Amino acid sequence: MVFGWQGFSLEHPDDWAPNALSGTRAEGYARISSVENAFCQIRWKQLRAEPDLEDRLTQYLAKLRRDTQKAKAKFSSEIHAEAERIVYSYRGLTQGKGCVAYDRTSQRVFFVEVAGKKGDPVSNRFGQIWQSLHFGDPERWALFGLNVVVPSGWKVTRQDLKSGRTTLELERPGAALTLDRWGFAHQLMAKHDLEAWAQSVLRLTSAEMTESPCGIELRSNSRLFQAPLVAFVCPQPDRNQIVIASSRTRREAWRPQWNWFE
Amino acid sequence: MELVRIVKQLVSGPPPLDPAKLRKAKPLRNPIVEAKELEGGSIELEAPLDVVGKKMTSALAKRMGAPETKRFELEEVGAFVWKHCDGQHTFETISRKLREKYKMTRLESDAALSSFLQMLSQRRLITLMVAKDK
């Protein structure tokens, strides 16, 4: 399953799920956890100048060491510098493998780590996750089944993560974008017509509808002081879900496109 | 200390089930509940209502035409879960089957299943069999 957030994306095991999301594009934290103890955590921070990665890593490992020693357990760690990143691993109260790297495009330093209790295959998991890590344009917003690729530069203003429905509200100057994923598409479409359902969900009393092989496009009328709402409704029957991207903007570039959906 | 624990439980209710224990728990249908399949994959459950009170109260309830059974309708997904509440399938297994059939994410299936089983349990339609601590 894909996780995409604040300008980066990665793939994680299907039965893992994001359970901590905080911060902004400039600085933040995300954790994706398994049912048992293993988890992947990502920290990022924007820095104007390229940082000393080894120094940052040393500080982090020193903190882990202090915490482990307070619990009267042994701590060991290894660091291995590679071309554009530093890979590390540690064993203490838990074990972990991770990497610190600097992304020049977004000017952010990233810590990506997989941790778990002794015996968990953290090294393999880290390798799989690191291989899939992607930064930059286009940006992917993906979690809990929602997976949409949009032009970069959107800022999250609200997220609503419910069972069966995932909603992200994004904005940028002059534009507002909502990404919605509805589960149980087969069950919904067994009872409702797609166009009527979409109009009801989007609260569109009247809209111009255009059909396409990927779904339907709804466009509301333009009003004074309000840009028209353009919504692309994309049923994804293989995933039993419907994804809606709707935006209000006067700029064509910020309106949904069919190539946003995967 | 045991008395303190009992009093606390009486006041605040039983502690929530440990997630690890919940995953291994096996829901079992109440045998007195009758299930009838409906069109579209739904199921209608019929459960006898308890008549609480002494002979005169229960006679009065009957005279006033109080229903003797209560009906519940489970739509397709609920019916799918109900069919797996056979005392053989664990919570984890049912959650996995939900993910496979309805393409749910793990958190969705766990949260929805937990909430649904709690509702069925509160209405005494199922019992959740949990392994005892050794």
Side-chain angles (χ1 to χ4, degrees):
Chain A
M1 191 163 282
V2 181
F3 175 70
W5 193 253
Q6 304 287 14
F8 68 90
S9 65
L10 52 85
E11 287 184 32
H12 60 80
D14 283 352
D15 61 343
W16 289 31
N19 63 347
L21 296 170
S22 64
T24 63
R25 183 181 295 270
E27 183 173 355
Y29 175 79
R31 187 172 66 231
I32 306 161
S33 299
S34 71
V35 174
E36 287 90 23
N37 299 292
F39 61 92
C40 171
Q41 54 183 354
I42 308 110
R43 282 191 180 83
W44 62 93
K45 186 171 182 177
Q46 196 162 43
L47 299 166
R48 284 182 193 167
E50 194 160 333
D52 181 342
L53 295 180
E54 194 162 341
D55 180 55
R56 287 188 168 265
L57 180 56
T58 306
Q59 289 177 36
Y60 173 64
L61 291 174
K63 182 182 180 308
L64 285 179
R65 181 183 294 277
R66 282 194 300 272
D67 293 342
T68 307
Q69 286 170 347
K70 273 184 198 169
K72 300 199 187 326
K74 285 186 187 171
F75 183 85
S76 64
S77 64
E78 282 180 20
I79 292 179
H80 178 61
E82 293 180 5
E84 303 248 315
R85 62 178 190 160
I86 303 178
V87 180
Y88 65 91
S89 61
Y90 65 84
R91 277 182 179 274
L93 295 169
T94 55
Q95 58 160 341
K97 183 160 183 180
C99 176
V100 58
Y102 181 69
D103 173 44
R104 288 193 180 88
T105 312
S106 61
Q107 295 182 307
R108 294 185 289 180
V109 65
F110 281 86
F111 265 90
V112 179
E113 179 182 297
V114 175
K117 60 178 196 229
K118 288 170 189 174
D120 286 341
V122 296
S123 191
N124 285 345
R125 281 282 174 239
F126 169 75
Q128 288 162 0
I129 287 172
W130 180 258
Q131 296 272 348
S132 69
L133 192 57
H134 170 80
F135 305 106
D137 209 11
E139 285 186 352
R140 188 179 297 275
W141 291 93
L143 73 170
F144 297 113
L146 175 72
N147 188 350
V148 181
V149 177
V150 303
S152 59
W154 292 92
K155 181 178 126 184
V156 170
T157 54
R158 190 179 84 91
Q159 69 229 33
D160 193 10
L161 310 173
K162 290 187 187 130
S163 181
R165 187 174 174 193
T166 306
T167 303
L168 294 182
E169 290 181 6
L170 308 154
E171 70 174 24
R172 64 192 308 145
L177 174 67
T178 303
L179 303 175
D180 239 322
R181 173 244 175 203
W182 292 76
F184 298 104
H186 295 148
Q187 289 69 38
L188 277 173
M189 294 301 102
K191 292 179 183 174
H192 307 286
D193 166 70
L194 180 65
E195 184 191 348
W197 173 82
Q199 291 213 29
S200 167
V201 154
L202 292 163
R203 295 180 191 170
L204 288 173
T205 47
S206 63
E208 193 184 302
M209 196 264 296
T210 311
E211 277 191 30
S212 122
C214 304
I216 60 172
E217 177 187 335
L218 296 171
R219 190 176 288 254
S220 74
N221 297 324
S222 190
R223 288 182 195 172
L224 195 62
F225 304 124
Q226 192 179 55
L229 180 80
V230 176
F232 277 43
V233 182
C234 181
Q236 297 175 342
D238 56 325
R239 295 178 210 169
N240 197 18
Q241 64 185 26
I242 299 171
V243 178
I244 303 176
S246 57
S247 76
R248 243 186 228 287
T249 177
R250 296 197 189 280
R251 288 193 61 182
E252 194 64 41
W254 306 140
R255 290 185 183 149
Q257 305 291 331
W258 287 117
N259 62 6
W260 286 12
F261 302 90
E262 292 198 348
Chain B
M1 290 306 290
E2 180 66 12
L3 185 61
V4 170
R5 185 189 67 78
I6 292 168
V7 169
K8 271 188 184 172
Q9 204 162 308
L10 282 170
V11 169
S12 54
L17 199 54
D18 172 59
K21 277 192 182 171
L22 176 63
R23 307 199 83 76
K24 292 178 184 170
K26 294 178 181 176
L28 177 65
R29 295 185 286 268
N30 187 333
I32 62 169
V33 174
E34 288 178 12
K36 186 169 77 175
E37 292 210 15
L38 304 175
E39 278 182 29
S42 305
I43 278 181
E44 185 183 79
L45 305 179
E46 194 169 349
L49 276 175
D50 271 343
V51 179
V52 179
K54 293 184 182 174
K55 286 182 187 175
M56 190 168 163
T57 316
S58 63
L60 191 62
K62 271 190 187 172
R63 194 177 172 84
M64 294 184 72
E68 293 180 353
T69 61
K70 185 152 186 177
R71 291 199 172 97
F72 306 88
E73 187 172 328
L74 304 182
E75 40 65 59
E76 183 193 329
V77 182
F80 179 84
V81 172
W82 175 260
K83 285 174 187 168
H84 286 84
C85 294
D86 55 8
Q88 304 296 318
H89 290 87
T90 61
F91 177 100
E92 176 63 41
T93 309
I94 301 173
S95 179
R96 181 174 47 79
K97 285 179 182 284
L98 277 173
R99 292 198 296 276
E100 285 166 4
K101 185 167 171 72
Y102 297 104
K103 306 285 186 271
M104 300 170 82
T105 65
R106 180 182 65 78
L107 266 188
E108 275 178 343
S109 63
D110 283 357
L113 181 60
S114 174
S115 171
F116 184 66
L117 291 179
Q118 187 179 25
M119 185 273 292
L120 291 180
S121 178
Q122 281 169 352
R123 285 159 175 75
R124 300 187 196 174
L125 297 171
I126 62 163
T127 301
L128 209 54
M129 301 194 302
V130 181
K132 271 189 182 175
D133 289 331
K134 287 184 184 173

